[in-house]
Amino acid sequence: MNNFIFENKTKVYFGKGCVGEYLPKIAAVHGDKVLFAYGGGSIKKNGVYEEVIAALEKAGKTIIEFPGIMENPTYKKVLEGTKLVKEKQVDWILAVGGGSVMDCSKAISMAAVSEKDVWDEYWAKKGVVDFEPMPLGVIVTASGTGSECNGGAVITNEEVMIKTDRDYPKCNPEFALMDPTYTYTVPTKQMVAGSFDILSHVMETYFSEPDEDNVSDDISEALMRGVITSLRAALVNPEDYTARSNLMWLSTMAENRIIKLGKKCDFECHQMEHQISAYTNCSHGCGLAVLHPVYYRHICQAGAKKFTRFAENVWKIPRNGRTDEEMAEAGVEALADFIREIGLPTTLREVGVEKKEDLKEIADSCYLVDGSYKKMTHEEILEIFLECF
Ligand code: NZQ
Ligand code: ZN
């Protein structure tokens, strides 16, 4: 394994009823004024809004609502929230939603106390967060991103058409309340997209060096099998508590830094998806589903031994005399079959790319990462995009 330092400051309260039981106590030890940040209104239809308000009122808090955080949150929305925090002299932030609400709230927690333009200083480039952001807690309503237990925040700057992810440990929420029953109302399409996002996070970690025996790869295989099994069960019965709780914790486990320890990680597919999303505003998990099989067909021979292990240990494909190269391909095809089985899109047209001619500009805007079995060039990314079109 490569050397590492591990830290994760988020305290997790997991399980049915955790919000009503713990939020009043947690709120009691925080300041008077809380910014209650949420999305487009799903929490007003499923009872979560009332439960959160009741818990905050029980603790005697002054609630300042910040609704309307959109999917793929924009820097403009971050600035709007920051203005409200400053005007109302908010003490702490409670984000209630999926990755978009949590990410936007993390950026607000930084902008609330920083004198700098946070896009320029912390998203356009990797900055140094040498201050304490405003305290932030989260209540997760959709599984997928794992934002609840990391410092990651993905923000879209519409003016420059760039969607950038940064992970600052100081932005880890102080606490995360995770009630799996809150995810029962997530629309099927979003549940499937979020689950694929989990799978992608694990794969992007697993398919990178080192490849000798290591804890991370063993855990990753269990997580990938878990996503496949739990998603299939949740598709049959959306109110399957076991499946929903597994998906929720799988989501956290994939992105709480644990499986990344000692690994290089290859998040190139995420970089490609973020730029597709910056241009089309597509759902993150849907964009990933289109790109992954094609990207892996490009790189699997460079990491044939690992893709063989993936085929054998995740998809249970028997050897039957096949070479590593053939097994590697079979593993990627099993992934492609699964994507079709769960009904995710398979072309960029389906996620909103209208013209082939647009793909060059998008490909050129993608960030090239180190850590892949085969480092991409912008020309190869364009090739992949064209194959996906
Ligand atoms: O906005 P509302 O009305 O709440 O509806 C949301 C939204 O329309 C809905 N939803 C959420 N919980 C629900 C629900 N609907 C009914 N019942 C519920 N309980 O789901 C829709 C999607 O929500 P969103 O938060 O956008 O989805 P997700 O959690 O997939 O987050 C996606 C964002 O996170 C970023 C993505 O790029 C994207 O911007 N990511 C963040 C990461 C991180 N911070 O570590 C890592 C990821 O790789 C990812 O890039
Ligand atoms: Zn993701």
Side-chain angles (χ1 to χ4, degrees):
M1 277 192 274
N2 298 331
N3 297 3
F4 62 80
I5 296 174
F6 177 62
E7 182 193 354
N8 193 311
K9 72 170 184 184
T10 306
K11 181 164 180 175
V12 173
Y13 302 77
F14 188 96
K16 200 183 286 181
C18 65
V19 172
E21 186 172 355
Y22 297 112
L23 184 57
K25 295 173 199 152
I26 298 168
V29 297
H30 283 79
D32 171 49
K33 284 192 188 168
V34 54
L35 186 83
F36 173 14
Y38 55 95
S42 68
I43 62 166
K44 289 201 168 165
K45 294 186 199 132
N46 58 15
V48 171
Y49 175 87
E50 285 76 16
E51 200 168 351
V52 172
I53 292 280
L56 291 173
E57 283 178 347
K58 193 170 171 189
K61 299 290 134 177
T62 306
I63 304 164
I64 289 112
E65 290 194 32
F66 181 54
I69 298 176
M70 65 292 278
E71 296 179 38
N72 305 317
T74 61
Y75 185 48
K76 204 168 152 211
K77 194 70 185 173
V78 172
L79 294 178
E80 187 189 321
T82 307
K83 189 163 169 263
L84 190 62
V85 163
K86 289 185 174 167
E87 266 171 23
K88 303 284 184 188
Q89 298 183 315
V90 162
D91 299 305
W92 59 291
I93 304 170
L94 181 63
V96 185
S100 296
V101 174
M102 293 189 268
D103 287 8
C104 185
S105 300
K106 287 179 190 174
I108 294 170
S109 77
M110 281 172 68
V113 296
S114 171
E115 295 302 315
K116 297 173 179 163
D117 179 299
V118 294
W119 174 267
D120 288 348
E121 284 296 321
Y122 302 107
W123 270 269
K125 60 179 189 199
K126 181 148 180 62
V128 178
V129 183
D130 53 4
F131 58 90
E132 292 302 323
M134 179 168 278
L136 165 73
V138 302
I139 299 178
V140 184
T141 66
S143 307
T145 64
S147 183
E148 61 277 1
C149 275
N150 64 38
V154 189
I155 302 298
T156 300
N157 187 326
E158 290 169 302
E159 279 178 23
V160 291
M161 304 282 272
I162 298 280
K163 180 174 175 182
T164 298
D165 57 305
R166 297 285 175 207
D167 184 357
Y168 295 112
K170 290 234 187 234
C171 284
N172 261 66
E174 279 190 9
F175 64 88
L177 289 151
M178 301 172 62
D179 182 337
T181 66
Y182 279 18
T183 66
Y184 286 172
T185 55
V186 174
T188 305
K189 191 178 165 224
Q190 175 59 33
M191 176 185 76
V192 173
S195 302
F196 192 78
D197 191 22
I198 307 173
L199 194 58
S200 169
H201 295 153
V202 183
M203 292 191 298
E204 299 239 59
T205 307
Y206 181 75
F207 291 119
S208 72
E209 291 174 348
D211 288 319
E212 74 263 18
D213 266 354
N214 65 78
V215 178
S216 171
D217 288 343
D218 290 340
I219 298 176
S220 291
E221 286 172 2
L223 298 180
M224 289 187 276
R225 289 192 300 267
V227 174
I228 296 160
T229 311
S230 303
L231 175 58
R232 282 179 174 149
L235 279 169
V236 173
N237 175 14
E239 301 203 0
D240 180 332
Y241 184 76
T242 303
R244 290 293 197 165
S245 47
N246 277 320
L247 285 172
M248 197 171 224
W249 191 237
L250 285 160
S251 160
T252 306
M253 281 298 294
E255 269 294 323
N256 63 0
R257 303 196 188 96
I258 285 183
I259 60 166
K260 294 182 180 173
L261 301 174
K263 295 284 293 183
K264 273 192 180 168
C265 297
D266 166 15
F267 271 75
E268 189 60 67
C269 220
H270 264 70
Q271 300 306 324
M272 293 191 265
E273 193 289 324
H274 285 163
Q275 281 315 100
I276 293 288
S277 166
Y279 280 75
T280 64
N281 199 30
C282 73
S283 148
H284 176 58
C286 292
L288 289 169
V290 173
L291 296 169
H292 259 296
V294 181
Y295 174 59
Y296 283 157
R297 282 182 201 122
H298 270 249
I299 68 162
C300 71
Q301 295 310 335
K305 279 206 166 3
K306 197 58 166 291
F307 276 90
T308 297
R309 200 177 141 176
F310 175 66
E312 285 176 331
N313 295 351
V314 178
W315 301 106
K316 306 289 176 200
I317 299 172
R319 266 279 178 180
N320 289 347
R322 276 180 278 219
T323 62
D324 276 0
E325 287 67 25
E326 288 163 346
M327 282 299 280
E329 278 173 20
V332 177
E333 294 321 311
L335 174 68
D337 287 345
F338 181 64
I339 290 167
R340 283 188 286 270
E341 172 196 326
I342 58 181
L344 282 171
T346 54
T347 66
L348 287 176
R349 267 165 298 160
E350 290 167 83
V351 298
V353 178
E354 284 171 8
K355 295 194 294 268
K356 250 188 189 174
E357 298 72 56
D358 296 339
L359 290 172
K360 178 156 173 31
E361 183 177 319
I362 308 178
D364 286 343
S365 71
C366 291
Y367 181 70
L368 306 177
V369 302
D370 289 316
S372 166
Y373 290 130
K374 184 173 186 297
K375 187 165 176 170
M376 291 289 110
T377 62
H378 287 117
E379 290 69 35
E380 282 170 290
I381 289 180
L382 179 58
E383 243 176 75
I384 290 169
F385 282 174
L386 288 169
E387 271 179 58
C388 291
F389 184 74

